Amino acid sequence: MPKTNASPPGGEPVAQRGRPAGDHAAKRAEILKAAASVIAEDGYAKASLRKVAERAGYTTGAVTYYFANKEELVTALAESRFDRYDAMLEPARAKADIKLLYEQWLAMTTGDPEYWPVMSQLLTHARYEPALASIIEQRYARYHRLHTKILEAGQAQGTIRDDIPADLLADQLAAMGDGWMMMFPFEPERFDPSRVEALIDAVLTLIAPIPGTSGS
């Protein structure tokens, strides 16, 4: 039974909002999933807390328990997206395995048609929302550092060309991956399994050691 304040004269007891029942992390994840769905379908501007609550099957009050306002919700959504990048990098970092990294990147791209539509809108609106911009800047910098370390390890092992600095290769490869994510929602037929394999082979060819250099 909810806690109540003393009843005002002639009025009903005023309920105080308590913590919603259930698993906190699971409910946050459900709300973030609903927010991504609304943004992907209706656009960032129309992704109100009320719409997100309806999509998740919650009341607006339940959503505001976890996220006080839209700014908190979208920054948490951006964080969750970069968490997926970090999870994608980890196994590749352990083995300095660029092929594995891009297999996972393309699997994420083709396995989640909402991924890039949501990220592209978050990136666009970050220009006008400092809190969101700060999260994206920090998390992308972390991603770039880890990506660079994977490439540096490959260069040290002689499996990746070393005539181009690893941080520049990281920028170029990330731009290619972003391009795949951008195009997949519009041209999914370009990403059938055989072509995905060909794209990965092309990446490996581009970063392979050049004959006659120290990395060959």
Side-chain angles (χ1 to χ4, degrees):
M1 188 171 184
K3 297 179 181 178
T4 60
N5 291 329
S7 302
E12 295 293 327
V14 179
Q16 293 181 336
R17 187 175 65 180
R19 175 171 176 165
D23 183 273
H24 186 274
K27 288 187 179 297
R28 273 180 58 93
E30 288 173 2
I31 292 168
L32 291 175
K33 182 178 180 180
S37 178
V38 172
I39 291 172
E41 291 183 20
D42 301 329
Y44 183 95
K46 294 182 179 179
S48 65
L49 294 183
R50 179 185 59 78
K51 263 195 172 179
V52 171
E54 289 175 354
R55 185 66 56 91
Y58 295 149
T59 65
T60 304
V63 171
T64 58
Y65 176 83
Y66 296 99
F67 306 101
N69 50 45
K70 184 175 177 178
E71 180 181 272
E72 281 192 13
L73 177 61
V74 296
T75 54
L77 180 59
E79 291 267 24
S80 72
R81 299 271 142 163
F82 278 99
D83 286 345
R84 290 177 64 181
Y85 279 132
D86 288 352
M88 181 180 69
L89 281 169
E90 199 53 42
R93 185 163 70 103
K95 302 177 181 178
D97 190 339
I98 287 294
K99 181 178 181 181
L100 176 61
L101 173 60
Y102 282 88
E103 285 174 345
Q104 291 183 323
W105 195 324
L106 278 161
M108 183 172 69
T109 296
T110 58
D112 184 355
E114 291 182 349
Y115 195 88
W116 182 250
V118 173
M119 279 300 292
S120 63
Q121 293 197 52
L122 293 179
L123 292 169
T124 297
H125 286 274
R127 294 180 59 195
Y128 313 104
E129 299 186 15
L132 180 57
S134 177
I135 291 296
I136 290 173
E137 180 182 9
Q138 292 170 25
R139 294 299 300 266
Y140 188 82
R142 169 180 163 77
Y143 172 82
H144 186 266
R145 286 195 302 271
L146 294 176
H147 195 177
T148 299
K149 285 183 181 298
I150 295 170
L151 292 164
E152 287 174 342
Q155 289 176 331
Q157 294 170 8
T159 58
I160 293 175
R161 61 188 299 170
D162 61 3
D163 58 321
I164 298 175
D167 66 315
L168 294 182
L169 283 178
D171 278 340
Q172 291 291 336
L173 295 174
M176 289 170 56
D178 288 342
W180 297 335
M181 281 196 254
M182 182 176 69
M183 294 311 301
F184 175 69
F186 303 102
E187 299 181 277
E189 67 279 0
R190 290 180 59 193
F191 296 88
D192 62 68
S194 62
R195 197 162 191 279
V196 163
E197 185 176 348
L199 286 170
I200 293 170
D201 288 344
V203 169
L204 298 178
T205 299
L206 290 171
I207 64 174
I210 304 299
T213 67
S214 60
S216 60

